[in-house]
Amino acid sequence: MDTESFSSIAVAQLATPSHFMPSACCPDKDLVLLISRVGGRDRMGLWTLSGTKTWEIDPSPSTERIMACAWSPDGQSVAVAQHPASLTLHSLQDGHEERNIPLPFSDGTITGVWWFRHEKVVDTNPVPDIFKRNDVITGSSHSILRNLPLLESLQESSQQITATNIFAFQGSQTQSARKSSIPDVVKLWPTLQNDPLAASIDAVNRSIDPALDDPDDTNIDSLLVIADDLGRVSFYLDGAYLTGTLELGPQSFTEMFKDPQHPRLIAHSETDVDGDKISSIEPIRITLPLLETRKVRDFAKLSTTARELIWYIIRVVEEMRAVWMGSETNTGAHELGPKWLRSLENRQKTQFGQEEPRPILDLTKLLVTGRASEPLSDFLGSGEQMSERGLQKWESTVTEALVKIRDYSEKRLAPACQRLYLVLEEARGWSFMPNEYSLFEIPSVLVQQCMEATARAILLAAWLAALARRENSRFKEFIAWLRFETTSANPANETVPPLRHDILEVNQYLMQGLEGGSIDKWFSGQVPVFSPQDLGLPNYSLSLEATLQEARKVLEEGSELGIKTALQEKEIPNVERNLCALVDELAGNCRQVFDRSTGAATRSARVRSTDRKGKETGNRNISVRERTIMQDGDYLRHLAIHRAATSEDRAFLCMVRQRFGDNEMAVSAALLECSIEDEEGGEVEMDIVGAEFFDDESLVIIYRPRDQDGGTFIGTIQYNDLGYKEVQREGHVTPAVREDLIQSALQRLKAGEKDTEKPRAEQLDAGKIELEGKRRLGVRGKELVVNGRSGRRVACILDERGTGLESIDMEGSDE
């Protein structure tokens, strides 16, 4: 046999000791993840197989250990589970956090993460989508939203594009987690991948013609599964939307496998018995029938659209509040009027000795009589605020703020709330169909409260736009008057400019707008709870019949007096109008609506398991690797169980094959003694230090010849045809835990060696390991990860210190 059956890609030295996760190899790229520990915390780095570091990050500020990882089906992201319990999704390009996936539990330790791809069934005779509905139900809220004009996009404050982001692979980079400005109510919202276009919002980075782009649907209908050491298993549709959590008792899981086309999973549990890990042979079968329908995805789309609209509304209100009330970095426009008044008041106190200055009274007197008091005349003639530059800055700041508030209220806030009302209306419709959607447990009362709050926000947005328009008009008249009086008070001017302001409008601004303005009420105060009737609006029913009756009533009166009475305007009361508080409460209530409905899939779950316990053998000096596939409609599972040599016995590799049908389980095994033939035909005993299943046929092992310094080798074993024999039943009972399988096989081997008269079919022989290929490693290997995917058939090995990394091409040789 050729000594060098494989070729070495590279050998690299690492700066810090590192280790692998079982799924460290990227499935479709020549990349591998390494976990290093620096300063008592784990860091994650992405390396090429040639030994170059692409990036290295801290997953999150609170991360102590990285527990598990799983690649997305499209290979563009990696889900990373950490301790304390958290789960983040990171980009392959530069490692930045794409999203923080909310967990339904905060205690416990995550023990496993799996991300299963959904293989779509191709319809040979599909019905053509003539109207291009893209699986959107006609008449639903999404079908209406897709025909509405897109809302203008808002730039995220956290979106920062740098040269490092653009050229992510142009060298190594080290990053720390970015601080997110997204509030918790939005961050923890159950949602699919962000889709602003479905919510009728223009995307910031949208291509010119989306129809020309081929959307990547690899992650669609995929299932991300997270398990912890308390037996809780959570499922995420598309790797993002939580569909519920199952509590299966105090246990962890060594393996999880999903039917590629159906929401059926098998899980193999592991429990701790006196410090030893005991794993059951028989799996726990989990079926999620609701995921086979479109109901979960349809409701997840509703939740995603509601989240996009709520986040849009929050940002719109925050921008209006910041431009008017100010922020940490900018002074609000509403501060300029009171600041100007305080300057005049200070002039009256300090320079003219007025104990109780009343600047508004002096300004009103000047407006009505044209005569200014001495302090006011001095202020208008010499104050810094009265320079043309100061007036221009004041005018531009307030005008821009009022115009922005007017436009945002009319063109962004009100339309976004109207779209949200459509989504909530559909959710309420779902709540009225208990037979079909009872599992979602949609709180209809809470949905109704959210709809009323949304309608209240629409009314406040229209009210605010009208007020901003009126306030802007009055402010312009006020500034024109100030310019007139300033020019009149300046003796250098020979001619007085003509009057160009409306005295009544200026007086209204002096009384209501200058000292704070009524617009402040939209950004301060309590949560609005008024009804339209509180504002003087008629108590009309929204039904068509009631509207027609009211119209006939007005027309039958016939007189102008009757019409005026019906449309009589009432005085608006002093009600709470705080949009910020209203939107915050609306966001919290809306999230509760969709939070309570996320567990529908697991409420209908069917779980089947056994409680059989295995007989304690006292021998736990073994390591196990496992692999499950689908074959002929059954689950086919292979185990590679390695037991190291003891003073009483030899080292063995036990290969186990299990087939799980609907109601039956068949277990067979093959024993391999850990020895190989050398080139001279002699027998060489070896120690297996690492093993991983490569594909459906090959097992990759790392081994060292025993009792000689012959180096470390990598080799492959064909495991699919080893002459498996059914496991001998003792009292018609198959061993219940996988750790007992090798002991049972060894006992059967010894029994056959002592009793050679037994039928050949009942004897279990131990063969020699036959390597299909091997190669001497350049490092003293200990940890091993592999990628047996077509075109990416590689193996990566870390040495005993974790500082030496070697990558092997498992398809090529040095020749």
Side-chain angles (χ1 to χ4, degrees):
M1 182 177 61
D2 186 5
T3 305
E4 306 295 341
S5 302
F6 316 116
S7 62
S8 177
I9 298 175
V11 178
Q13 292 298 317
L14 310 179
T16 56
S18 304
H19 66 276
F20 286 131
M21 290 293 169
S23 56
C25 284
C26 181
D28 59 353
K29 297 175 182 64
D30 293 330
L31 301 168
V32 63
L33 284 172
L34 289 176
I35 311 300
S36 58
R37 193 158 185 84
V38 179
R41 296 174 55 192
D42 281 355
R43 295 175 62 86
M44 179 175 67
L46 186 69
W47 291 69
T48 64
L49 297 185
S50 60
T52 303
K53 182 168 66 174
T54 302
W55 48 257
E56 187 176 25
I57 61 165
D58 290 320
S60 67
S62 60
T63 297
E64 295 179 5
R65 287 179 294 154
I66 297 176
M67 306 304 299
C69 65
W71 293 93
S72 63
D74 62 1
Q76 297 299 317
S77 306
V78 59
V80 181
Q82 301 122 45
H83 180 78
S86 63
L87 185 68
T88 52
L89 197 64
H90 295 267
S91 169
L92 174 74
Q93 302 300 320
D94 57 4
H96 77 270
E97 182 182 310
E98 295 180 332
R99 66 185 303 162
N100 189 309
I101 301 177
L103 295 176
F105 48 81
S106 58
D107 55 340
T109 302
I110 299 177
T111 56
V113 178
W114 302 267
W115 201 333
F116 301 111
R117 179 176 184 170
H118 177 72
E119 294 183 4
K120 300 173 179 61
V121 179
V122 180
D123 191 353
T124 55
N125 297 311
V127 178
D129 191 2
I130 300 174
F131 300 104
K132 296 183 179 180
R133 295 188 179 95
N134 295 326
D135 212 24
V136 175
I137 300 175
T138 302
S140 65
S141 59
H142 284 104
S143 70
I144 299 173
L145 290 174
R146 67 187 301 181
N147 293 321
L148 296 177
L150 297 179
L151 299 173
E152 295 181 16
S153 61
L154 295 173
Q155 183 71 30
E156 298 269 5
S157 59
S158 59
Q159 290 177 346
Q160 299 176 355
I161 301 176
T162 63
T164 305
N165 301 128
I166 299 173
F167 305 103
F169 285 99
Q170 298 301 315
S172 62
Q173 50 179 310
T174 301
Q175 300 182 9
S176 58
R178 299 175 184 171
K179 184 179 179 181
S180 174
S181 60
I182 302 178
D184 289 341
V185 67
V186 176
K187 189 185 301 183
L188 302 178
W189 197 295
T191 175
L192 297 172
Q193 295 296 332
N194 297 342
D195 189 4
L197 292 178
S200 190
I201 301 174
D202 194 12
V204 177
N205 299 320
R206 183 166 60 94
S207 59
I208 298 175
D209 187 0
L212 299 178
D213 295 336
D214 258 342
D216 186 359
D217 61 350
T218 308
N219 289 345
I220 300 298
D221 291 330
S222 63
L223 199 63
L224 177 64
V225 184
I226 297 101
D228 71 349
D229 58 348
L230 301 179
R232 293 173 294 196
V233 183
S234 299
F235 305 91
Y236 293 83
L237 185 64
D238 294 359
Y241 180 78
L242 177 65
T243 59
T245 301
L246 293 175
E247 297 189 7
L248 304 177
Q251 58 189 327
S252 56
F253 297 92
T254 61
E255 186 190 25
M256 194 85 66
F257 179 79
K258 177 185 173 294
D259 187 319
Q261 296 182 351
H262 303 283
R264 297 193 292 265
L265 300 94
I266 61 170
H268 292 273
S269 62
E270 182 180 73
T271 56
D272 195 328
V273 178
D274 297 332
D276 293 326
K277 300 294 184 181
I278 309 298
S279 303
S280 174
I281 289 179
E282 295 194 14
I284 298 175
R285 301 170 188 262
I286 303 172
T287 305
L288 304 171
L290 196 61
L291 288 183
E292 293 199 273
T293 68
R294 61 176 297 162
K295 296 175 185 176
V296 174
R297 175 163 292 279
D298 286 344
F299 197 81
K301 287 181 179 178
L302 275 184
S303 179
T304 303
T305 300
R307 185 260 186 197
E308 292 288 350
L309 290 170
I310 283 290
W311 180 219
Y312 186 87
I313 291 169
I314 290 175
R315 285 180 291 164
V316 167
V317 173
E318 178 58 30
E319 286 200 26
M320 291 193 299
R321 190 202 66 80
V323 75
W324 185 252
M325 304 294 289
S327 62
E328 296 179 356
T329 56
N330 298 320
T331 302
H334 90 121
E335 282 288 337
L336 299 181
K339 182 179 179 181
W340 184 82
L341 274 180
R342 287 195 297 270
S343 299
L344 174 57
E345 185 178 356
N346 185 58
R347 178 71 62 91
Q348 292 173 329
K349 281 184 178 181
T350 57
Q351 296 188 14
F352 293 90
Q354 294 185 3
E355 296 181 358
E356 297 182 0
R358 289 180 286 182
I360 293 294
L361 180 61
D362 288 357
L363 289 170
T364 304
K365 179 182 177 181
L366 173 63
L367 176 64
V368 174
T369 65
R371 297 180 179 274
S373 63
E374 186 178 356
L376 180 57
S377 178
D378 179 72
F379 183 76
L380 292 176
S382 60
E384 296 180 3
Q385 293 83 357
M386 301 311 300
S387 65
E388 181 59 29
R389 182 177 180 182
L391 289 176
Q392 184 66 34
K393 181 179 179 182
W394 186 4
E395 181 181 16
S396 62
T397 302
V398 174
T399 300
E400 288 175 4
L402 291 173
V403 169
K404 186 172 187 177
I405 290 174
R406 180 199 66 193
D407 291 344
Y408 271 43
S409 298
E410 283 184 338
K411 300 177 181 179
R412 298 190 177 189
L413 179 57
C417 290
Q418 291 165 359
R419 287 157 170 78
L420 178 62
Y421 193 91
L422 288 174
V423 174
L424 292 172
E425 196 171 35
E426 183 172 343
R428 186 180 65 166
W430 282 44
S431 68
F432 291 156
M433 296 186 288
N435 293 333
E436 297 185 25
Y437 300 100
S438 58
L439 291 172
F440 289 90
E441 297 182 356
I442 304 172
S444 57
V445 175
L446 189 57
V447 175
Q448 182 63 36
Q449 293 176 3
C450 292
M451 293 176 64
E452 292 173 358
T454 306
R456 199 173 291 125
I458 296 172
L459 180 58
L460 284 174
W463 190 357
L464 177 59
L467 182 62
R469 185 177 289 106
R470 187 184 66 186
E471 196 81 1
N472 189 32
S473 174
R474 290 175 176 173
F475 175 74
K476 288 181 178 179
E477 298 294 333
F478 172 73
I479 289 294
W481 172 66
L482 277 186
R483 282 197 170 97
F484 169 77
E485 296 295 349
T486 302
T487 305
S488 301
N490 190 348
N493 290 334
E494 297 180 358
T495 59
V496 178
L499 291 173
R500 296 183 180 276
H501 55 273
D502 187 326
I503 295 179
L504 295 179
E505 291 293 328
V506 175
N507 183 64
Q508 284 288 340
Y509 190 78
L510 287 176
M511 296 297 103
Q512 299 179 4
L514 187 59
E515 290 187 283
S518 55
I519 289 182
D520 294 4
K521 298 178 181 179
W522 267 259
F523 307 108
S524 60
Q526 303 299 318
V527 179
V529 292
F530 63 85
S531 65
Q533 290 71 42
D534 296 334
L535 303 181
L537 298 178
N539 188 15
Y540 290 141
S541 173
L542 295 179
S543 66
L544 178 61
E545 181 180 359
T547 303
L548 291 175
Q549 288 179 357
E550 191 68 29
R552 290 191 189 98
K553 179 181 178 182
V554 174
L555 292 174
E556 285 173 358
E557 293 182 0
S559 64
E560 186 178 350
L561 179 60
I563 296 177
K564 288 183 178 179
T565 303
L567 302 179
Q568 183 178 5
E569 182 179 351
K570 296 183 179 180
E571 183 179 353
I572 298 176
N574 186 21
V575 297
E576 293 291 344
R577 312 169 196 179
N578 188 353
L579 265 177
C580 296
L582 177 62
V583 168
D584 288 343
E585 184 183 73
L586 175 62
N589 289 339
C590 280
R591 206 195 91 187
Q592 288 184 36
V593 169
F594 294 101
D595 263 348
R596 290 179 56 178
S597 306
T598 56
T602 51
R603 293 186 192 110
S604 64
R606 298 193 297 267
V607 180
R608 188 174 65 179
S609 62
T610 59
D611 296 327
R612 294 198 299 127
K613 303 298 182 181
K615 180 179 65 176
E616 295 297 322
T617 61
N619 184 3
R620 296 291 176 262
N621 188 24
I622 63 174
S623 62
V624 183
R625 294 293 182 268
E626 46 201 332
R627 176 183 176 86
T628 305
I629 61 172
M630 291 294 295
Q631 188 179 85
D632 300 329
D634 293 337
Y635 297 99
L636 185 64
R637 183 193 189 204
H638 283 89
L639 299 175
I641 308 175
H642 172 244
R643 195 197 70 169
T646 63
S647 58
E648 302 175 355
D649 209 341
R650 299 162 289 176
F652 286 93
L653 177 65
C654 180
M655 300 300 301
V656 179
R657 182 167 62 192
Q658 298 175 257
R659 182 177 292 274
F660 306 103
D662 291 336
N663 298 306
E664 297 181 355
M665 178 184 67
V667 183
S668 55
L671 270 180
L672 298 177
E673 189 174 354
C674 293
S675 62
I676 57 174
E677 291 185 2
D678 58 15
E679 297 179 356
E680 300 176 356
E683 181 178 323
V684 178
E685 294 186 353
M686 63 180 184
D687 293 321
I688 297 178
V689 295
E692 288 291 345
F693 282 96
F694 192 61
D695 53 22
D696 295 345
E697 298 179 352
S698 300
L699 176 75
V700 179
I701 62 171
I702 300 177
Y703 67 93
R704 301 190 187 106
R706 193 181 305 165
D707 300 330
Q708 55 179 293
D709 188 14
T712 304
F713 294 82
I714 186 172
T716 57
I717 303 171
Q718 296 294 314
Y719 69 85
N720 58 341
D721 188 15
L722 292 175
Y724 291 93
K725 292 185 179 180
E726 185 179 358
V727 173
Q728 178 68 34
R729 297 172 177 265
E730 300 175 358
H732 304 286
V733 176
T734 303
V737 296
R738 69 182 186 185
E739 288 79 6
D740 290 338
L741 282 171
I742 188 170
Q743 190 68 15
S744 176
L746 290 174
Q747 290 175 357
R748 185 175 172 186
L749 173 65
K750 292 178 181 179
E753 291 175 348
K754 293 180 180 179
D755 188 0
T756 57
E757 296 181 358
K758 278 189 175 183
R760 182 67 181 171
E762 296 184 9
Q763 295 183 14
L764 183 63
D765 300 325
K768 306 295 183 183
I769 292 180
E770 296 182 5
L771 298 177
E772 291 292 317
K774 69 175 183 179
R775 177 186 175 85
R776 181 190 294 269
L777 294 175
V779 298
R780 188 173 173 81
K782 180 181 180 183
E783 290 190 57
L784 168 69
V785 291
V786 297
N787 185 358
R789 191 167 176 172
S790 178
R792 305 288 170 192
R793 301 174 68 79
V794 296
C796 296
I797 302 97
L798 278 174
D799 65 9
E800 293 176 332
R801 295 183 300 174
T803 56
L805 171 67
E806 183 173 7
S807 52
I808 302 293
D809 183 356
M810 302 300 291
E811 283 189 333
S813 63
D814 290 340
E815 296 179 356

